[in-house]
Amino acid sequence: MKDKALTRAIVREFGLIQDVVQLENMPLPELAEGDARVKMVYATINPSDIITISGAYRSRISVPFVPGFEGVGVIEQAPADSHLPVGQRVLPIGSMGNWQTFKDTKPEWCFTLPDFVSDRQAVNSYVNPMTALLMLTEALDAKPGQRILVNAANSAIGKMLIRIANQLGMTPIAVVRKRENIDIFEGYQLETVLNSSDAAYLQELQRIRRSGGVHAIFDCIGGDESLTFAEILIPGGQFIHYGLLSGKPVPPQFWRSRPDIRFMNFHLRQWIHSQEKPVVQKRIDQVMELIRDGVVHTEIATAFSLNNISDAIEAAVFGELKGKILIEI
């Protein structure tokens, strides 16, 4: 192992991702006792990576660090008692560090994958699909005939929420921001698709309120729009908040106007770190079955090699490509 090299993307100061990510080569260090070494195959660039690199979580993350919350690889070395044979495909989750040729981690954070899922789908199987599945099956107090609303429904995770909800017997209301996104839901089961840029949008929301309202809202936007959605929730309804696309938090008047609402900030990281490994593995297995059955699918735009990380970042931040940008390692 001593003669092998480690190539990694590293952040030594917080800032714009295109300015602060550097590529470096160094000798591969000795593997710490008890750790597993994963030879990475693919990684992704997610909004969560960009936000972390910007310094939004500097209170709990210090520089330098190797970014990348999502990746897939194969076991290069592992302790004998870990039951992780060399060559076993795994998702090394629970920490950053996937933008490098080798990731050293604890064996308990390496989760096995079935043969029927490709590397390119497996690498996208953690952040969005797991979040969608867990919000619908654990965060949501699900009941038969439940009416739910999903905003930013044209996003990757929005579409996953709808497809998984359909499998669970729900027919969501979808909200998009652009007219061209109204017709992208062929094959989805939806009560209706609303365009928040349309002049009649607020009237449509009031129509939904008058027809009984919604039991739950899945929100990844935040900001003042939260107040609008609060008006259509039934008494005691759920508001499951998991993103801030608006860049603004849910305003304080949200709780003053509707103190009855059951509000939840859903964080995948908190759930993962609160569970035993068999529970997490079972959920990952469920996601893999959803991928196999076509319920969950991630559109992939293209892949760049780790050595061209700057091009991958540019495509992810500035590009017009539709779908995920992968880092091929």
Side-chain angles (χ1 to χ4, degrees):
M1 292 298 167
K2 291 181 180 179
D3 58 347
K4 286 191 176 182
L6 174 68
T7 301
R8 65 183 187 178
I10 193 161
V11 172
R12 299 191 180 279
E13 61 178 328
F14 294 114
L16 296 175
I17 184 173
Q18 62 269 25
D19 296 335
V20 299
V21 174
Q22 301 174 329
L23 197 66
E24 69 176 26
N25 294 290
M26 59 183 291
L28 188 63
E30 291 285 343
L31 181 63
E33 186 176 355
D35 278 2
R37 174 162 287 166
V38 181
K39 186 180 187 301
M40 301 305 299
V41 176
Y42 282 107
T44 64
I45 301 178
N46 281 308
S48 55
D49 299 313
I50 297 171
I51 293 169
T52 300
I53 291 167
S54 75
Y57 309 124
R58 65 180 71 204
S59 60
R60 61 178 174 85
I61 294 172
S62 58
V63 291
F65 63 87
V66 175
F69 286 107
E70 204 168 42
V72 64
V74 297
I75 294 294
E76 179 90 353
Q77 283 181 265
D81 61 358
S82 69
H83 307 293
L84 292 169
V86 172
Q88 171 70 57
R89 278 200 315 161
V90 294
L91 295 180
I93 66 173
S95 64
M96 296 182 293
N98 288 307
W99 295 3
Q100 56 185 331
T101 48
F102 295 93
K103 179 182 181 181
D104 293 351
T105 186
K106 298 297 182 186
E108 54 264 34
W109 288 111
C110 295
F111 293 87
T112 58
L113 297 167
D115 292 338
F116 57 74
V117 172
S118 70
D119 288 337
R120 287 188 170 218
Q121 284 299 309
V123 72
N124 291 288
S125 66
Y126 175 51
V127 173
N128 283 339
M130 279 282 282
T131 298
L133 178 64
L134 291 170
M135 287 196 299
L136 282 164
T137 58
E138 298 210 7
L140 180 66
D141 182 15
K143 293 180 175 63
Q146 198 160 45
R147 199 183 197 190
I148 67 172
L149 181 147
V150 177
N151 66 16
N154 57 294
S155 66
I157 190 169
K159 290 188 285 188
M160 290 178 188
L161 278 166
I162 294 167
R163 293 296 294 269
I164 298 172
N166 289 164
Q167 193 184 56
L168 296 172
M170 289 176 268
T171 306
I173 297 165
V175 178
V176 299
R177 284 189 179 275
K178 296 179 181 179
R179 184 177 300 277
E180 59 262 34
N181 289 327
I182 291 177
D183 299 322
I184 67 170
F185 298 103
E186 184 178 353
Y188 294 70
Q189 299 168 39
L190 292 166
E191 178 180 330
T192 188
V193 182
L194 304 181
N195 175 12
S196 62
S197 300
D198 192 280
Y201 173 61
L202 294 180
Q203 292 176 323
E204 287 295 311
L205 288 181
Q206 289 307 309
R207 180 187 60 78
I208 290 169
R209 182 182 66 80
R210 290 192 300 270
S211 65
V214 298
H215 297 82
I217 290 171
F218 292 86
D219 168 63
C220 64
I221 295 176
D224 290 341
E225 194 165 341
S226 307
L227 301 174
T228 306
F229 288 129
E231 294 180 7
I232 67 170
L233 267 175
I234 65 168
Q238 286 187 270
F239 194 97
I240 301 170
H241 176 63
Y242 67 98
L244 273 181
L245 290 180
S246 68
K248 299 176 182 178
V250 175
Q253 55 264 46
F254 175 91
W255 290 276
R256 290 198 295 267
S257 65
R258 289 294 305 273
D260 61 294
I261 287 175
R262 291 177 290 159
F263 183 91
M264 172 185 284
N265 260 318
F266 184 85
H267 296 289
L268 178 61
R269 182 179 182 277
Q270 290 180 359
W271 186 90
I272 292 293
H273 284 267
S274 69
Q275 305 296 321
E276 296 294 326
K277 183 173 183 178
V279 175
V280 179
Q281 182 69 64
K282 181 179 179 180
R283 287 299 196 176
I284 288 175
D285 292 344
Q286 289 174 338
V287 168
M288 296 304 150
E289 291 168 1
L290 293 172
I291 294 173
R292 178 198 62 198
D293 297 341
V295 177
V296 166
H297 179 76
T298 302
E299 295 295 331
I300 297 167
T302 189
F304 293 88
S305 74
L306 179 61
N307 289 325
N308 293 327
I309 186 72
S310 59
D311 293 338
I313 290 169
E314 182 176 356
V317 175
F318 303 110
E320 298 297 323
L321 297 173
K322 298 275 188 186
K324 276 293 192 78
I325 305 297
L326 302 187
I327 302 170
E328 188 169 5
I329 303 169

